[in-house]
């Protein structure tokens, strides 16, 4: 029987080296000739959901409900599951670790995996790339453990999370409406070209986020 | 270096030669040269011609304070050659010249300057009126700065950067550097902006000693620059002039790209918690007869030509100055080989004794209280007349360089933009801020400081005040710096000299606009007594130099000449841009992102002609057939697919979700049953219709709703706004991008759908107005709606966006045997028009109510729950007379359809055409229009005016709607 594949709106240039099908997504784990420099990675496949209303329960893994961030803008990363509070009544969850946590079967949760795209910029150069596209002060993030910023990137409304596990372990996650995904990917690559930004496969992000979790623990 | 001096201050790279073309001749220079210095080194003295009189103009300063050196570079007009780096292969043309800069036949205009008094364009050429068209052509040909060829393709690269910082220091001179280093050492993030290509300010080209150990200032500049550039918390932007300063310390600037940069110009937007302005001073021009003749330049310009570019500015020089820096420049140039014939210093006393002694030792005569009163020569300077201020004697000296300035002027434009009010300071002769706005500090020479140690201390003091405000240091530390500062020399007494004795007819106040002191006198004689008004009447300071030449002199001259009750000089207003640049720089990288639907690539591959529609790229049509008949025929007779993914889609749920729907929709949503669709509309408070779409009840208190494409981005806010005072428990999620939508339409649409799914999609099981969820190919979970926007059997299939390309191809494959095809937006527009279905925004505008477009049936006036938004207004406007209403019409006597938006006219405008197309189904032009009450009855004839119709109106007649399948049988089959 034919397996119908899910398609990311982002198409990064390069020749795939390793391909893997995960939950109907054809995932490029690595590109040929992938460098260790600053990288742009498509995270469209990671499960994401929105949770609203106060009586929300069972918002993550069954054995452990992450402490919900209380203040708008606050984020928590726990075993690859990122939870961010957008406003007093709304949180979003990004399953960055791709652990076996899917969208909870709860009326308060809405699957937004296909509503947005998430692109990861890895490397210290991420700050320099972002300052070409956004007036948001990412360095402000240094004063908090983890925050989600909501503002324009290339004039498009985005959510931006800065993950920083040390001077060289910097990652900026940019999420925008799925429709903008294709051109946002091109835009980030274009802005990062002079800083050596190149596409990388999902495998690079997986190992990066695992290291990030080690930093946190 | 061929012909260039080897000096430790040199800013060019003697190992890197470059060649450029100027006026069809090749010239050679070095990397680090500006265009103007390269040409000057090669002997070019006349760079262009003036705006009105076509007088020859040369190098006057090196800071772009006038348009003297504006040229056309690689097709760009108005490039300031004195600030623009010379690059290999540049193609440069002089501008505002007829033949060439040296021989310009329009130079005769100078002889007719008497015919062009101040404000002549306000009161000449008006009578006789018949003369004006001819005069207009002549003036337009003669005037203007440069010509931009619209065919020119610019290949430059532009970027933008948005910086956030604790402190932004404007000015990379000694004060700015000291401030930046002090703040960064204390832990602040600092952005340092320097307008020039190197740091160091006026230290960078001076060999005077910094301190008692004898180390020259240029060495000190290098040391401070190295420290700043190596500091991890200082970001240095060189060649980055500031454009403006706005609220909350938002600074805009632009950086000119170096050869290593990825851009030609980069727009900078800096948000600083604090700002220090250390912009220093420029030289105030001396005003005397023919003061702009090539060969006359500012002493600082002459000194920098030698020290930074290794060029001797002249062989025989005379100086006419009003400050010690001028004396220092004279000595320096004499030491470098210029024959300095004399120095006229307008100050009768106050010169630094060391400088006077050095002049004497060199045998350079100094004339205290004397000034240059006239520059002589045909094209360039040949001699200068010097006189004491009382004009009693005259000395004429033959020379090829006159270094002249009246004094110094502080660069306070940024302070003015920051909200500081400037007042005249009698001691320095400067316009200085009385009080600084919060978050803004100043340092350095703009306060009149001249002592190097004091200048650096002022930078440290400014930084320490900021650090104290931020709680980084104690009050005692600031106090210690203040005490150290008090031991150094304070601001020096400034020269008050404005204009030399003698004729003012050709004493130029503003080089850009050829405005002379005589023009100012004429304006004052007419009663203009405020510098702001005189500026506008004479146009002095309104040119591209942004007031750089006349900015300080105009108010001083007016105050000294006009007997006003309040004789204090008043500065003119400064506005951004302080330094003008290209519009392309403001546009930056031009990131303008459009949304693409999940099947964008498939539609492009199928021949879709994509157009920007709101935020999205959508297929207007497929193929090149603009008649659209294949697409329309496919929908009317067979089956076709439309990508409708751009529709707004939302999930609304929670215990009070129904109340929310009752508030924002005009229909009674309490009647909505699961498995059914409710088409409804939203109105604003005025009862004007703003949105329409369908609502589906998927579960108890759980709804799925669609909106128009245009409203998708604001619907959530709209709903929250209109429930903001209610304590309702509900949530809304925007799923617009989460679902792709395929509209499968046509009489054979069911045939295709049946081939795809095991679900019962027969008319009985899934009839018109029904909603079903089923699975296709065991993979695609589909939310399906039975609708009829185009008037045929129609299924709207909502599928997770990531699956949509696969489903699209799957449907194409299933429909291939019966010839399924695509249809685009334009075909849909015609099809829905034939059915009389409206598109909000096409058949409505801001004043259009629900009733005006025939959607009054949607309003349930007695529905339970909260009154809908606009309900009160709907009651008031329901039967209001005099409103434009939507009618259908057919054209009479033509097979053409009028253009959308064409006005309907008789003796006045009576409405307008909303949408009109040739109907392939009915073989005639049809349309919908909003018309006055008198024209609304069926059978009424009206006329349509179209742009370019030359008075031949199109005739039309009101007819019943819908035009096609009036009973709606086809979409219910």
């Amino acid at each position: 029987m034919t397996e119908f594949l899910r398609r990311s709106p982002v198409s990064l240039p390069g020749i795939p080296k390793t391909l893997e099908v995960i939950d109907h997504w054809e995932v490029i784990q690595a590109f040929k000739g992938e460098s260790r420099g600053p990288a742009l990675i498509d995270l469209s496949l990671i499960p994401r959901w929105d949770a609203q209303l106060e009586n929300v329960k069972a918002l993550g893994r069954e054995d452990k409900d992450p402490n919900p961030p209380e203040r708008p803008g606050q984020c928590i990363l726990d075993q690859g599951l990122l939870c961010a509070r957008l406003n007093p009544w709304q949180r979003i969850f990004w399953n960055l670790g791709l652990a076996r946590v899917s969208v909870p079967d709860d009326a308060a949760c809405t699957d937004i995996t296909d509503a947005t795209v998430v692109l990861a910029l890895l490397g210290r150069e991420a700050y320099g790339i972002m300052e070409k596209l956004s007036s948001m002060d990412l360095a402000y993030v240094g004063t908090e453990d983890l925050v989600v910023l909501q503002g324009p990137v290339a004039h498009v409304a985005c959510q931006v999370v800065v993950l920083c596990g040390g001077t060289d372990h910097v990652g900026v996650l940019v999420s925008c409406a799925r429709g903008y995904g294709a051109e946002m990917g091109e835009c980030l690559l274009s802005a990062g070209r002079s800083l050596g930004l190149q596409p990388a496969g999902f495998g690079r992000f997986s190992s990066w986020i695992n290291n990030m979790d080690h930093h946190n623990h | 270096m061929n012909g260039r001096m080897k000096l430790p201050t040199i800013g060019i790279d003697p190992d890197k030669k470059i060649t450029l073309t100027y006026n069809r001749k090749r010239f050679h220079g070095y990397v680090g040269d500006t265009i103007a210095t390269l040409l000057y080194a090669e002997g070019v003295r006349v760079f262009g011609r003036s705006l009105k009189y076509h007088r020859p103009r040369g190098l006057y300063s090196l800071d772009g304070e006038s348009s003297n050196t504006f040229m056309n570079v690689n097709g760009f007009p108005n490039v300031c050659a004195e600030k623009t780096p010379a690059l290999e292969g540049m193609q440069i043309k002089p501008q505002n010249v007829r033949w060439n800069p040296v021989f310009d036949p329009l130079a005769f205009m100078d002889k007719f300057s008497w015919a062009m008094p101040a404000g002549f364009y306000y009161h000449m050429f008006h009578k006789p009126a018949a003369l004006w068209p001819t005069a207009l052509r002549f003036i337009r040909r003669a005037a203007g700065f440069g010509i931009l060829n619209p065919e020119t393709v610019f290949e430059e690269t532009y970027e933008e950067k948005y910086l956030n910082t604790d402190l932004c220091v404007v000015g990379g001179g000694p004060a700015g550097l000291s401030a930046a280093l002090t703040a960064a050492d204390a832990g602040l993030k600092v952005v340092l902006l320097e307008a020039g290509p190197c740091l160091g300010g006026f230290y960078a080209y001076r060999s005077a000693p910094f301190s008692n150990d004898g180390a020259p200032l240029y060495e000190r500049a290098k040391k401070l620059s190295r420290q700043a550039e190596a500091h991890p918390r200082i970001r240095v932007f060189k060649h980055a002039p500031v454009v403006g300063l706005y609220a909350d310390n938002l600074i805009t600037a632009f950086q000119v790209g170096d050869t290593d940069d990825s851009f030609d110009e980069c727009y900078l937007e800096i948000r600083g918690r604090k700002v220090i302005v250390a912009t220093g001073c420029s030289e105030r021009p001396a005003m005397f007869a023919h003061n702009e003749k090539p060969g006359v330049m500012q002493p600082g310009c002459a000194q920098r030509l030698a020290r930074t570019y290794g060029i001797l500015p002249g062989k025989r020089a005379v100086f006419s100055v009003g400050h010690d820096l001028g004396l220092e420049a004279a000595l320096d140039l004499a030491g470098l080989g210029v024959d300095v014939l004399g120095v006229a210093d307008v100050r009768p006393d106050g010169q630094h004794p060391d400088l006077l002694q050095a002049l004497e030792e060199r045998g350079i005569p100094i004339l205290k209280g004397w000034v240059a009163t006239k520059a002589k020569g045909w094209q360039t300077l040949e001699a200068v007349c010097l006189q004491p201020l009382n004009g009693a004697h005259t000395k004429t000296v033959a020379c090829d360089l006159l270094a002249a300035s009246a004094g110094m002027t502080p660069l306070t434009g940024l302070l003015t933009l920051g909200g500081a009010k400037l007042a005249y300071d009698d001691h320095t002769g400067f316009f200085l801020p009385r009080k600084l706005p919060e978050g803004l500090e100043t340092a350095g020479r703009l306060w009149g400081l001249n002592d190097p140690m004091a200048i650096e201390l002022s930078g440290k003091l400014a930084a320490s005040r900021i650090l104290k405000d931020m709680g980084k240091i104690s009050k005692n530390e600031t106090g210690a710096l203040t005490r150290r500062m008090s031991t150094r020399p304070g601001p020096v007494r400034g020269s008050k000299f404005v204009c030399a004795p003698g004729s003012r007819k050709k004493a130029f106040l503003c080089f850009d606009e050829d405005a002379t002191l005589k023009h100012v006198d004429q304006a004052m004689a007419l009663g203009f007594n405020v510098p702001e008004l005189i500026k506008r009447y004479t146009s002095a300071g309104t040119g591209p130099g942004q007031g750089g030449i006349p900015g300080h002199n105009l108010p001083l001259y007016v105050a000294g000449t006009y007997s006003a009750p309040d004789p204090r000089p008043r500065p003119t207003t400064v506005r951004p841009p302080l330094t003008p640049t290209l519009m392309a720089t403001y546009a930056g990288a031009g990131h303008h992102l459009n949304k693409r639907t999940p099947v964008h690539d498939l539609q492009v591959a199928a021949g879709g002609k994509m157009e920007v529609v709101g935020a999205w790229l959508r297929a207007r049509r497929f193929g090149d057939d603009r008649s659209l008949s294949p697409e329309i025929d496919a929908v009317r007779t067979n089956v076709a697919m439309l990508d409708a993914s751009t529709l707004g889609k939302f999930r609304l749920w929670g215990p009070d979700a129904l109340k929310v729907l009752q508030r924002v929709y005009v229909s009674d949503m309490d009647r909505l049953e699961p498995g059914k669709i409710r088409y409804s509309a939203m109105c604003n408070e005025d009862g004007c219709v703003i949105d329409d779409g369908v609502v589906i009840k998927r579960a108890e208190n759980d709804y799925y709703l669609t909106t128009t494409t245009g409203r998708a981005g604001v619907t959530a806010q709209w709903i929250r706004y209109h429930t903001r005072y209610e304590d309702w428990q509900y949530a809304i999620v925007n799923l617009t991008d989460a679902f792709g939508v395929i509209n499968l339409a046509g009489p054979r649409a069911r045939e295709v759908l049946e081939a795809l799914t095991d679900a019962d999609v027969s008319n009985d099981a899934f009839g018109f107005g029904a909603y079903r969820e089923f699975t296709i190919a065991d993979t695609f979970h589909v939310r399906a709606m039975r609708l009829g926007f185009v008037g045929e059997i129609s299924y709207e299939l909502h599928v997770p966006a990531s699956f949509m390309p696969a489903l699209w191809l799957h449907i194409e494959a299933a429909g291939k045997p019966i010839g399924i095809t695509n249809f685009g937006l334009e075909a849909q527009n015609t099809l829905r028009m034939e059915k009389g279905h409206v598109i909000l925004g096409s058949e409505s505008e801001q004043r259009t109510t629900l009733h005006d477009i025939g959607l009054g049936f949607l309003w349930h006036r007695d529905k339970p729950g909260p009154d809908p938004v606009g309900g009160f207004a709907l009651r008031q406007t329901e039967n209001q007379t005099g409103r434009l209403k939507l009618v259908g019409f057919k054209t009479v006597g033509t097979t053409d359809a009028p253009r959308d938006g064409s006005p309907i006219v008789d003796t006045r405008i009576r409405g307008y055409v909303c949408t009109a197309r040739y109907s392939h189904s009915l073989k005639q032009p049809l349309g919908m229009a909003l018309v006055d009450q008198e024209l609304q009855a069926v059978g009424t004839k009206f006329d349509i005016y179209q742009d370019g119709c030359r008075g031949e109106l199109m005739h039309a007649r009101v007819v019943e709607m819908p035009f096609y399948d009036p009973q709606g049988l086809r979409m219910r089959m």
Side-chain angles (χ1 to χ4, degrees):
Chain A
M1 192 178 119
T2 311
E3 181 177 12
F4 295 101
L5 294 176
R6 301 173 76 171
R7 189 80 62 85
S8 165
V10 182
S11 175
L12 298 177
I15 302 167
K17 182 181 172 189
T18 322
L19 282 168
E20 189 181 340
V21 175
I22 304 173
D23 188 23
H24 292 280
W25 295 88
E26 191 174 56
V27 181
I28 300 172
Q29 290 289 6
F31 285 94
K32 280 184 182 169
E34 203 172 286
S35 73
R36 300 306 297 168
L40 177 68
I41 302 165
D42 176 16
L43 305 184
S44 293
L45 79 159
I46 59 164
R48 305 185 286 287
W49 60 96
D50 170 289
Q52 297 188 50
L53 299 180
E54 288 307 311
N55 57 352
V56 177
K57 292 197 174 90
L59 286 180
R61 56 203 90 241
E62 290 176 8
D63 58 340
K64 188 180 176 190
D65 194 13
N67 295 323
E70 291 175 356
R71 284 181 294 111
Q74 200 178 7
C75 281
I76 286 170
L77 179 66
D78 184 21
Q79 295 178 47
L81 181 65
L82 182 94
C83 175
R85 181 172 285 281
L86 299 184
N87 52 48
W89 58 86
Q90 189 175 19
R91 277 173 283 165
I92 51 168
F93 291 80
W94 295 352
N95 188 2
L96 301 173
L98 269 192
R100 296 200 177 282
V101 179
S102 55
V103 181
D105 186 16
D106 187 307
C109 296
T110 309
D111 186 348
I112 54 167
T113 307
D114 277 357
T116 58
V117 291
V118 180
L119 292 155
L121 288 166
L122 302 187
R124 289 176 65 185
E125 295 82 355
Y127 291 122
I129 296 165
M130 288 300 289
E131 77 179 15
K132 291 183 177 185
L133 301 170
S134 176
S135 56
M136 285 188 284
D137 187 2
L138 300 194
Y140 160 80
V141 174
T143 63
E144 296 271 344
D145 287 337
L146 264 184
V147 295
V148 59
L149 299 173
Q150 299 177 77
V153 176
H155 312 294
V156 169
C158 287
Q159 292 152 359
V160 176
V161 177
V162 178
L163 300 174
C164 187
T167 314
D168 292 320
H169 202 80
V170 176
V172 175
L173 309 183
V174 180
S175 172
C176 65
R178 187 184 202 278
Y180 286 115
E183 298 196 5
M184 183 60 79
E186 292 165 8
C187 180
L188 287 169
L189 273 179
S190 164
R193 192 167 294 126
S194 59
L195 295 167
L197 183 69
Q198 289 190 348
F202 188 76
R204 170 100 179 262
F205 182 78
S206 297
S207 53
W208 188 91
I209 195 71
N210 284 336
N211 285 335
M212 183 78 201
D213 253 11
H214 290 313
H215 277 291
N216 281 354
H217 289 88
Chain B
M1 277 194 294
N2 187 17
R4 302 287 184 105
M5 293 181 287
K6 291 177 183 171
L7 299 170
T9 50
I10 217 81
I12 56 171
D13 186 343
D15 297 327
K16 293 180 182 171
K17 280 191 173 182
I18 51 175
T19 303
L20 51 75
T21 305
Y22 168 70
N23 211 15
R24 298 181 190 157
K25 290 181 188 165
R26 288 158 68 84
F27 292 89
H28 307 284
Y30 302 94
V31 168
D33 264 325
T34 67
I35 296 169
T37 61
L38 185 150
L39 294 176
Y40 198 91
E42 293 278 271
V44 176
R45 293 293 179 268
V46 182
F47 284 76
R49 290 277 165 169
S50 68
L51 179 71
K52 281 193 299 191
Y53 305 147
H54 279 250
R55 289 170 62 90
R57 289 284 162 83
L59 189 60
Y60 187 79
S61 79
L62 286 170
D63 296 314
E65 291 154 335
S66 71
S67 58
N68 276 16
T69 60
F70 275 23
M71 294 179 186
N72 184 303
V73 178
N74 296 337
F76 275 103
N78 297 329
V79 175
C80 185
E82 65 199 48
K83 293 200 303 177
T84 305
L87 299 175
E88 179 66 33
M90 273 180 163
Q91 300 286 325
I92 300 163
K93 293 177 188 169
Q95 67 179 43
N96 210 37
V97 296
R98 276 299 170 265
W99 291 347
N100 64 56
V102 178
F103 299 102
D104 185 333
L106 286 179
F108 77 91
M109 299 278 285
D110 193 29
K111 303 291 180 195
F112 291 90
S113 59
W114 55 268
M116 290 177 265
F120 75 98
Y121 31 76
Y122 291 126
H123 48 77
M124 293 183 74
F125 306 117
H126 290 190
K127 288 178 183 176
L131 182 64
W132 180 239
T134 309
L136 184 73
R137 277 200 300 277
F138 176 76
I139 289 169
R140 284 213 170 136
R141 235 189 353 257
F145 280 107
I147 296 168
L148 181 63
N149 182 355
E151 303 298 319
T152 306
V153 177
F154 299 116
E155 293 174 351
E156 284 68 22
T157 306
Y158 300 94
E159 283 189 4
E160 61 217 68
K161 281 183 185 165
Y162 302 91
L163 309 169
N164 292 277
T165 187
D166 296 321
L167 172 64
C168 181
V169 178
V170 183
L177 287 166
S178 300
L181 287 165
T182 304
D185 286 342
L188 298 192
K189 284 193 306 172
V190 180
V191 167
L192 177 64
L193 300 173
E194 165 54 41
C198 64
L199 298 175
F202 85 143
Y203 277 14
Y205 56 90
R206 291 175 64 198
S207 55
F210 166 66
S211 57
N212 294 335
D213 64 5
L217 287 171
Y218 64 80
E219 287 293 355
R220 177 68 180 167
K222 285 178 184 172
K223 184 180 175 187
L224 289 174
S225 306
R226 277 195 301 270
Q227 286 176 354
E229 292 188 282
H231 204 293
R233 281 189 289 277
I234 301 178
R235 293 186 67 180
V236 176
F237 291 85
K238 290 185 281 191
H239 222 152
V242 170
V243 172
L245 171 61
Y246 306 91
D248 295 329
N249 289 340
L250 181 74
I251 291 175
T252 58
F254 65 93
Q255 188 179 20
V256 179
D258 204 347
T259 45
D260 300 333
D261 288 316
S262 56
F263 54 82
D264 291 282
E265 277 197 8
C266 178
Y267 170 74
L268 301 173
E269 198 173 284
I270 303 135
R271 181 75 70 179
R273 290 169 69 195
K274 305 282 182 181
V275 174
I276 293 178
V277 177
T279 39
C281 288
S282 63
E283 287 175 284
R284 185 158 58 82
M287 291 190 288
F288 53 90
H290 307 286
N291 56 335
E292 34 63 278
K293 192 175 286 296
V296 179
M297 65 175 66
Q298 293 179 332
C301 174
Q303 194 177 9
R304 284 158 69 189
L305 275 176
R307 282 279 168 190
T308 309
Y309 300 99
I311 305 163
L312 277 187
K315 290 176 183 166
R316 294 164 58 80
V318 171
F319 280 68
S320 176
V321 300
H323 49 75
D324 281 353
L325 288 174
L327 303 182
E328 187 185 308
L331 280 165
D332 194 28
L333 287 175
L336 293 172
V338 177
D339 185 7
V340 179
L341 303 169
V343 178
D345 190 332
V346 70
R347 298 171 297 173
D349 53 43
Q351 294 86 354
H352 198 290
D354 292 351
L355 294 169
L356 290 177
Q357 188 184 341
L359 287 167
E360 191 179 339
E361 286 170 4
R362 283 200 165 271
I364 301 172
I366 178 157
L367 301 164
K368 294 182 187 175
W370 283 56
V371 291
T373 53
K374 189 174 184 180
K376 289 183 166 182
W378 179 56
Q379 297 278 23
T380 58
L381 182 72
E382 293 167 13
V384 58
C385 297
L386 301 172
Q387 285 186 332
L389 285 174
N390 61 13
H393 316 285
T394 302
K395 282 188 178 185
T396 302
V397 184
C399 60
D400 61 353
L401 171 68
L402 171 61
S405 84
M408 306 303 289
T409 182
L411 299 172
T412 50
L414 204 58
L415 297 174
T416 311
L417 299 184
K421 298 289 179 202
L422 304 185
Y424 187 70
D425 177 67
D426 277 327
H427 178 67
T428 56
F430 291 178
F431 292 108
L432 293 172
R434 286 198 169 153
K435 189 184 170 195
L436 289 169
E438 200 179 329
L440 200 63
E441 289 287 345
T442 57
R445 284 209 297 154
L446 57 76
W447 285 103
L449 298 173
N450 201 32
D451 174 62
M453 295 287 272
I455 288 169
E456 290 187 26
L457 272 174
S458 75
K460 291 177 182 175
L461 191 58
S464 72
R465 280 195 291 264
I466 280 169
L467 290 167
K468 183 171 74 69
D469 281 354
M470 297 169 99
K472 302 271 185 187
I473 61 169
S474 68
K475 194 177 175 181
N476 290 342
E477 289 173 83
T478 311
L481 271 174
T482 308
R483 282 191 295 278
R484 278 182 66 195
M485 184 78 188
S486 66
T487 65
R488 306 301 309 178
V492 296
R493 182 161 56 92
S495 156
K496 310 292 189 333
F497 165 69
V498 180
C499 64
S503 170
R504 297 175 180 188
K505 194 171 128 188
K506 292 292 165 65
F508 285 88
L509 172 71
C510 175
F511 298 176
D512 293 352
E513 301 290 333
D514 271 344
T516 63
L517 291 180
K518 186 181 175 186
H519 291 147
V520 180
D521 292 340
Q522 288 167 340
M524 288 194 287
L526 287 168
F528 294 100
N529 60 355
V530 179
E532 291 284 5
L533 297 176
I534 295 169
K535 175 181 169 180
R536 275 150 187 79
Y537 193 68
T538 62
S539 71
T542 59
Q546 300 293 90
I549 296 289
H552 196 167
N553 275 335
L554 175 62
L556 293 186
Y557 182 74
V558 172
T561 313
Y562 194 83
S563 55
D566 182 0
R568 284 176 300 179
R570 294 176 189 170
T572 54
T573 306
V574 176
R575 296 183 179 84
L578 291 178
T579 308
T581 189
L582 306 167
M583 295 300 288
T585 303
Y586 292 109
H591 301 298
H592 185 78
L593 276 57
N594 293 303
K595 292 175 103 172
R596 297 181 191 174
T597 70
V599 291
H600 175 91
D601 294 343
L602 294 176
Q603 293 199 85
V604 170
K609 306 297 179 194
M610 311 307 283
E611 286 182 8
V612 175
V613 181
W616 295 86
L617 282 167
R618 302 194 68 182
R620 174 65 62 186
R621 62 180 194 281
F622 290 85
D624 296 322
D625 185 352
R626 287 181 176 270
S627 78
L628 304 170
S629 57
E631 293 176 40
I632 291 170
D633 289 345
V635 179
R636 289 278 180 251
T637 62
N638 190 18
V639 60
M641 285 194 296
L642 172 86
D643 175 15
S645 302
T646 62
L647 282 174
K649 299 172 270 297
F650 295 86
R651 182 189 176 208
L652 179 80
W653 83 100
D656 298 311
L658 179 60
K659 289 180 191 168
V660 176
L661 293 174
Q662 296 288 55
R663 167 64 53 81
V664 296
Y665 282 104
V666 295
S667 307
D668 183 4
M669 293 300 171
D670 199 20
R671 301 182 199 176
L672 178 58
E673 299 167 15
K676 291 285 185 189
I677 291 164
R678 170 57 49 88
Y679 170 69
S680 189
M682 296 187 204
C683 290
N684 64 15
E685 295 86 338
D686 301 328
C688 297
V689 61
I690 56 162
D691 202 357
D692 66 342
V694 299
V695 182
I696 291 119
K697 187 176 184 179
R698 296 188 66 229
E700 193 60 29
N701 295 327
D702 199 340
Y703 298 87
Y704 181 64
L705 50 109
T706 69
T707 70
T708 55
T709 299
R711 289 283 297 181
V714 295
T715 297
Q717 290 97 313
W718 177 263
I719 289 175
R720 286 192 178 124
Y721 177 80
H722 285 287
T723 56
R724 65 194 183 281
Y725 296 124
E726 313 291 356
D727 188 22
W728 292 343
Q729 288 292 302
Y730 77 94
I732 185 165
V733 179
N734 188 339
L735 296 175
T736 298
D737 293 59
F739 286 93
V741 177
I742 301 169
N743 184 4
L744 186 65
R748 301 183 75 180
R750 186 180 297 119
E751 206 176 311
V752 175
L753 195 57
E754 282 171 341
L756 293 167
T757 178
D758 296 331
D760 184 359
V761 293
S762 67
N763 200 32
D764 292 338
F766 189 14
F768 181 75
Y771 172 78
R772 297 287 181 271
E773 293 186 14
F774 50 81
T775 302
I776 294 175
D778 294 329
T779 304
F780 309 107
H781 185 76
V782 171
R783 299 177 181 187
M785 303 171 198
R786 180 79 193 275
L787 296 167
F789 192 50
V790 294
E792 304 291 344
I793 296 173
S794 179
Y795 300 95
E796 218 173 67
L797 306 175
H798 294 226
V799 61
S802 61
F803 273 122
M804 183 165 165
L807 179 59
W808 182 274
L809 292 171
H810 192 54
I811 296 174
E812 262 190 356
K816 192 175 179 184
I818 59 171
I820 194 169
T821 186
N822 293 314
F823 70 109
L825 273 186
E826 192 51 40
Q828 184 201 40
N829 202 25
T830 305
L831 291 161
R832 65 91 194 171
M833 185 207 67
E834 290 172 346
K835 275 297 293 175
H837 289 157
V838 298
I839 290 180
L840 297 184
S842 293
E843 275 67 57
S844 68
E845 35 99 321
Q846 279 190 320
R847 300 166 295 177
T848 310
T849 68
L850 203 61
H851 297 104
D852 294 340
I853 53 172
L855 295 181
F857 67 93
L858 295 174
W859 178 39
H860 296 145
R861 71 187 70 208
D862 298 322
K863 67 177 184 175
D867 202 33
V869 178
F872 182 77
L874 286 174
R875 285 187 184 88
Q876 290 202 317
T877 57
E878 183 179 11
N879 298 310
Q880 190 181 28
T881 57
R883 302 192 61 83
L884 294 179
K885 299 270 185 187
L886 191 70
V887 298
F889 69 86
K890 292 180 179 177
T891 55
V892 178
T894 177
T895 55
D896 294 329
R899 284 194 290 275
D900 296 351
S902 299
I904 291 161
V905 296
D906 48 23
T907 54
R908 59 188 175 89
I909 293 175
R910 305 298 298 263
Y912 67 91
V913 175
C914 299
T915 306
R917 298 286 185 276
Y918 180 81
S919 166
H920 289 275
S921 310
L922 302 171
K923 309 295 181 202
Q924 61 181 313
L926 305 170
M928 291 189 275
L930 279 164
V931 296
D932 270 352
Q933 193 167 359
E934 295 80 8
L935 303 180
Q936 290 165 6
V938 170
T940 308
K941 290 181 180 174
F942 58 71
D943 296 329
I944 300 167
Y945 174 89
Q946 291 194 91
D947 189 25
C949 69
R950 296 173 183 271
E952 289 187 22
L953 302 178
M954 185 179 275
H955 310 296
R957 184 165 47 84
V958 177
V959 297
E960 293 277 7
M961 283 200 295
F963 309 107
Y964 176 79
D965 184 23
Q967 284 77 41
L969 300 177
R970 293 183 65 82
M971 58 189 185
R972 290 181 169 78
M973 288 195 301

